[in-house]
Amino acid sequence: MSFWNKALTIAWKDVISEMRTREIIISVLVFAILVIVIFNFAFGETREMLTAVAPGILWVTFAFSGVLSLNRAFVGEKEDGCLEGLMACPIGREVIYVGKLLGSLLFMLAVEAIALPVFALLFNLPVLSPELITITVLATIGFAALGTLFSALATNTRAREMVLPILFLPLVVPVIIAAVKATGLALAGQSWAAMSTWLYMITAFDIVFLVVSYLTFPFVIEE
Amino acid sequence: MNVRNILLGCAVALMAASLYLVFLYVPTEATMGVVQRIFYFHVPLAWVAFLAFFIVFAFSIIYLWKRAEKWDVIASASAEVGTVFTTLFLATGSIWARPVWGVWWTWDPRLTSALILWIIYIAYHLVRTHADGGSRGPRFAAVVGIVGFIDVPIVALAITLWRTQHPGPAIFQGGLAPSMMLTLMVCLVAFTVLYALFMLLRIAMKNDEREIRRLKLTRS
Amino acid sequence: MDKPARDIPELAIQVRGLTKSFGDCPALRGIDLNVRRGESVAVFGPNGAGKTTLIKILAAIMNPSSGEVLIDGLSIKDTTYEVQRRIGIVSHQTFLYANLTAYENLKFYGRMYDVPGTDERIREVAEMVGMTSRLNDKVGTFSRGMQQRLSIARSLLHKPSIMLLDEPETGLDQRAISLLWKVIRPDGGERRTTVFSTHSLERGRELADRFIILNKGRAVFEDTKHRLDLDGLREAYQRTTGASV
């Protein structure tokens, strides 16, 4: 079986495992919706204010709920030594990285797919445009790429819930900035050309950190 | 005459020269007044902070490749000195901003990027101390050092693009007068020598600590 | 085609000058070991002696700090996948996913090890360990003994020629332990090369051809079943590790 088949097998295993209990996806979803609602109370004085801060609210929500789901990405592997079981398989550390990355990516996209319509509903904004979906998918890829690396790192750290936000969020600042800016333009109905700078930035980040994470992941999970 | 004493002598001499140049020699800048003199400390501090971060990056890679602890000692020492210099850079930037722009903080691209850099440095140290097990700390720190260094230019770029929509006050109209250039250069060299001195001292200290740990282990 | 074995092919496992340090802390301080094909070696030692570290390195889960390991003459560093295909590992941790069924767990590992005809092979190993009726139950509902049995089934999926066991009987009752050993070392048929660590000197001596005692990262004692009886073994253990059994 090829590299991709094995990576997809790992990702699929994660999806099935999560679907059985649904504990992470429900808590992350509830969290996301709560954040949106709370921010609405904090900033929703006038309609103009709301429209202005909407992109920021959306991406803060995605960033925090992304961190929440990444926190759990490797916990399942730590139990019963499953990660070591995987490392004993003739598959290589990189396959594990890509597999976990795909699993986390699918998970985050699923949460976003549900949160976005809720957002559209609560904010009365045209959220289901191809531009916004592209921005969301691209940004989530970068998030998941670097996040998987740091999730593995955090699993082997004391105070792991604290480590991921402190360590990881500053590093994804470019993605968040670019996503917020591009989302603002998309919601205002601007063209692809207008948001091209930001899309390039997100794509560049994605590529750079897919490569860097892929290369450094083996060093994080070995003993 | 060992290296440490030579460096110490040079550092003292250069810092003295810098102080003279900054406070006595260079003329007061027209627009901003006396407070502008912070610039001659602020810029070299930034330069050294970035140099320190680059050293962390380079030796993190070498450590992951060669696995000898001595490389990690260098990376670790550089991160410590770098954190101090970044803190000073942020502080001097803030002190400078207050009289000139009227605020303690501004989301100026340089300051904001430096803030992120500072947070990444802190994360580097945190990961080292919080990692489970003795060998993981240096390894995790090395990964953070590598990822962080690659990330900071991207962060700076993103923040700069973001801020060009709301331009902040420009630092300098026109170029630097020769006397200012001289002062700046001397300060740059002085702070770099200071960095080297601190590195030497810190690395020696860390190696001594390692030696003590090793002696303790073999006795048990 | 297999890569040609560089060294004597009848040695299934060759370890030379193996060291492993975790930062400043040395776990293995130079281990040399040769295991012949079909031979069974028991590794004894107090906690922290390095037994688990040794087995993890043999399974290529961990990299050594220095030294060489050859499995069937193949370097573990250069031909890692080839080596891992020949090794089955059972630990006191089960390597099983609690939310998945037994069948799904086996299917997963079957895929990871490129096992041909997975479904059939799954039924085979399940029958071997007596799990056929519970294949579609979630592993989280199993008792510890059953989980360990499934873990053994998992380790046998790819028909390894070498078995590594790291204190596999931890938390098992007598019946489960007997079954464990019956499956790993069938009385008839081909004997797999086995290296296992255990706290029980009695069982170790019963099941092994040779024993090694590790203490503080070094091999401090080695002997064979024929030359040493149980009392002799106990005495040697006491003497070399200063610990009572």
Side-chain angles (χ1 to χ4, degrees):
Chain A
M1 273 191 126
S2 72
F3 180 99
W4 280 103
N5 276 331
K6 294 191 181 175
L8 282 167
T9 307
I10 294 178
W12 192 238
K13 179 254 311 162
D14 281 350
V15 169
I16 294 188
S17 191
E18 177 50 31
M19 287 323 286
R20 293 278 160 82
T21 57
R22 282 187 285 269
E23 59 178 56
I24 310 179
I25 197 162
I26 290 184
S27 50
V28 173
L29 255 175
V30 170
F31 177 77
I33 294 173
L34 263 171
V35 171
I36 295 178
V37 170
I38 290 175
F39 271 124
N40 191 34
F41 290 141
F43 297 114
E45 287 288 316
T46 65
R47 184 146 169 71
E48 291 74 38
M49 208 187 287
L50 210 56
T51 317
V53 297
I57 294 178
L58 186 67
W59 282 101
V60 167
T61 307
F62 286 164
F64 286 172
S65 46
V67 167
L68 204 63
S69 52
L70 282 169
N71 257 330
R72 301 272 309 168
F74 277 90
V75 170
E77 309 291 343
K78 202 123 209 263
E79 284 165 17
D80 298 314
C82 290
L83 187 59
E84 285 180 355
L86 274 177
M87 286 163 77
C89 296
I91 57 175
R93 316 288 191 243
E94 293 82 5
V95 170
I96 303 178
Y97 171 70
V98 176
K100 300 303 284 184
L101 163 60
L102 288 174
S104 290
L105 185 60
L106 274 166
F107 187 84
M108 283 193 242
L109 288 175
V111 170
E112 286 161 358
I114 301 177
L116 267 178
V118 172
F119 186 79
L121 220 79
L122 293 177
F123 283 70
N124 284 308
L125 286 167
V127 146
L128 297 171
S129 63
E131 285 88 355
L132 198 58
I133 293 179
T134 310
I135 298 168
T136 308
V137 170
L138 277 178
T140 311
I141 290 177
F143 215 79
L146 198 56
T148 304
L149 175 72
F150 280 96
S151 176
L153 201 151
T155 311
N156 287 315
T157 314
R158 296 190 291 275
R160 89 174 57 116
E161 286 78 22
M162 224 177 53
V163 163
L164 201 57
I166 298 178
L167 206 49
F168 171 61
L169 283 178
L171 293 167
V172 285
V173 157
V175 175
I176 298 180
I177 292 178
V180 169
K181 280 313 219 187
T183 304
L185 292 169
L187 288 176
Q190 298 278 340
S191 65
W192 288 103
M195 50 184 102
S196 59
T197 323
W198 302 113
L199 287 175
Y200 288 151
M201 163 133 300
I202 300 178
T203 313
F205 185 94
D206 287 359
I207 295 174
V208 169
F209 283 107
L210 275 169
V211 172
V212 171
S213 303
Y214 181 91
L215 292 173
T216 48
F217 183 79
F219 295 105
V220 169
I221 58 170
E222 71 171 63
E223 264 187 86
Chain B
M1 263 304 239
N2 62 18
V3 183
R4 188 187 304 191
N5 288 335
I6 298 176
L7 264 182
L8 183 60
C10 288
V12 171
L14 281 166
M15 284 310 253
S18 305
L19 284 172
Y20 165 73
L21 285 172
V22 170
F23 287 110
L24 295 172
Y25 168 73
V26 88
T28 312
E29 205 259 352
T31 351
M32 283 182 260
V34 180
V35 76
Q36 181 268 343
R37 293 176 195 265
I38 286 189
F39 162 81
Y40 301 107
F41 297 122
H42 185 71
V43 172
L45 284 168
W47 147 252
V48 173
F50 201 75
L51 171 69
F53 207 30
F54 173 74
I55 298 287
V56 172
F57 172 70
F59 283 90
S60 291
I61 294 184
I62 297 179
Y63 173 70
L64 285 183
W65 177 28
K66 297 280 191 177
R67 296 313 177 91
E69 235 188 290
K70 59 180 174 179
W71 307 121
D72 174 64
V73 165
I74 299 178
S76 175
S78 190
E80 288 174 3
V81 180
T83 312
V84 171
F85 277 73
T86 311
T87 314
L88 289 173
F89 168 78
L90 287 170
T92 52
S94 198
I95 294 172
W96 190 8
R98 183 76 178 101
V100 175
W101 294 329
V103 291
W104 285 112
W105 180 260
T106 167
W107 295 98
D108 164 73
R110 270 152 298 210
L111 275 177
T112 314
S113 308
L115 185 64
I116 302 283
L117 176 67
W118 186 80
I119 297 178
I120 295 178
Y121 264 136
I122 301 290
Y124 177 94
H125 297 300
L126 271 179
V127 137
R128 183 182 286 275
T129 47
H130 279 75
D132 263 340
S135 60
R136 283 201 173 111
R139 227 181 330 123
F140 286 1
V143 170
V144 174
I146 294 171
V147 174
F149 182 79
I150 296 175
D151 193 54
V152 164
I154 302 181
V155 169
L157 181 63
I159 295 178
T160 308
L161 286 174
W162 174 55
R163 291 309 291 177
T164 50
Q165 322 222 309
H166 317 268
I171 305 285
F172 281 111
Q173 275 82 8
L176 286 174
S179 59
M180 296 168 128
M181 191 53 99
L182 171 71
T183 314
L184 184 63
M185 287 300 129
V186 170
C187 287
L188 264 169
V189 176
F191 275 93
T192 310
V193 170
L194 198 64
Y195 166 75
L197 177 66
F198 285 162
M199 281 289 283
L200 216 68
L201 291 170
R202 201 68 193 107
I203 291 174
M205 229 185 281
K206 279 186 189 292
N207 281 329
D208 288 339
E209 284 170 10
R210 274 174 63 206
E211 193 56 35
I212 294 176
R213 273 203 308 271
R214 197 171 308 135
L215 287 171
K216 272 193 191 163
L217 270 173
T218 47
R219 262 170 137 258
S220 66
Chain C
M1 285 308 294
D2 279 350
K3 276 185 144 187
R6 215 183 64 201
D7 283 79
I8 317 160
E10 61 195 54
L11 284 179
I13 302 177
Q14 292 166 272
V15 177
R16 298 192 194 126
L18 192 67
T19 68
K20 176 68 180 176
S21 298
F22 297 105
D24 281 328
C25 195
L28 294 175
R29 298 178 209 236
I31 304 279
D32 295 293
L33 176 64
N34 284 334
V35 183
R36 281 193 306 281
R37 203 170 297 284
E39 194 180 13
S40 172
V41 176
V43 181
F44 304 116
N47 288 329
K51 308 189 295 294
T52 303
T53 309
L54 174 62
I55 291 187
K56 281 190 184 172
I57 293 179
L58 289 177
I61 294 177
M62 227 190 259
N63 291 329
S65 303
S66 72
E68 211 185 9
V69 177
L70 299 173
I71 305 280
D72 286 344
L74 299 169
S75 157
I76 217 174
K77 201 186 336 184
D78 302 324
T79 47
T80 317
Y81 296 176
E82 194 48 54
V83 161
Q84 285 175 318
R85 278 186 226 285
R86 297 160 188 237
I87 296 178
I89 174 158
V90 178
S91 160
H92 49 273
Q93 292 179 302
T94 58
F95 301 167
L96 296 170
Y97 296 98
N99 286 334
L100 267 41
T101 67
Y103 179 83
E104 284 164 346
N105 266 286
L106 291 174
K107 186 96 190 248
F108 176 73
Y109 279 105
R111 284 220 165 109
M112 292 296 121
Y113 278 95
D114 295 310
V115 173
T118 319
D119 278 346
E120 202 183 298
R121 182 67 187 150
I122 291 178
R123 268 169 241 296
E124 257 175 57
V125 294
E127 214 173 291
M128 244 189 260
V129 301
M131 289 234 80
T132 320
S133 60
R134 299 211 59 184
L135 268 179
N136 290 317
D137 292 339
K138 280 199 268 189
V139 168
T141 64
F142 290 3
S143 67
R144 162 95 191 142
M146 243 185 291
Q147 284 186 2
Q148 197 63 317
R149 270 196 271 157
L150 182 60
S151 183
I152 297 168
R154 172 196 55 75
S155 71
L156 294 172
L157 270 172
H158 54 291
K159 302 189 184 166
S161 55
I162 298 172
M163 290 295 290
L164 300 174
L165 303 111
D166 184 20
E167 294 181 31
E169 73 247 5
T170 315
L172 296 183
D173 63 13
Q174 272 304 120
R175 228 194 82 206
I177 294 178
S178 312
L179 176 63
L180 168 75
W181 292 114
K182 199 173 300 167
V183 169
I184 302 287
R185 299 204 61 212
D187 296 310
E190 192 184 323
R191 288 174 42 168
R192 288 190 199 90
T193 316
T194 313
V195 176
F196 65 98
S197 71
T198 176
H199 273 296
S200 163
L201 290 180
E202 199 176 318
R203 185 175 316 279
R205 191 182 166 278
E206 199 182 303
L207 297 161
D209 302 316
R210 209 154 41 104
F211 5 92
I212 295 175
I213 302 181
L214 289 184
N215 193 28
K216 298 208 176 122
R218 267 186 255 271
V220 294
F221 183 82
E222 196 177 322
D223 213 332
T224 65
K225 186 208 291 264
H226 301 294
R227 292 216 307 252
L228 196 66
D229 67 1
L230 186 57
D231 287 322
L233 180 58
R234 282 212 181 96
E235 185 269 330
Y237 188 86
Q238 183 101 359
R239 183 172 29 95
T240 53
T241 65
S244 57
V245 182

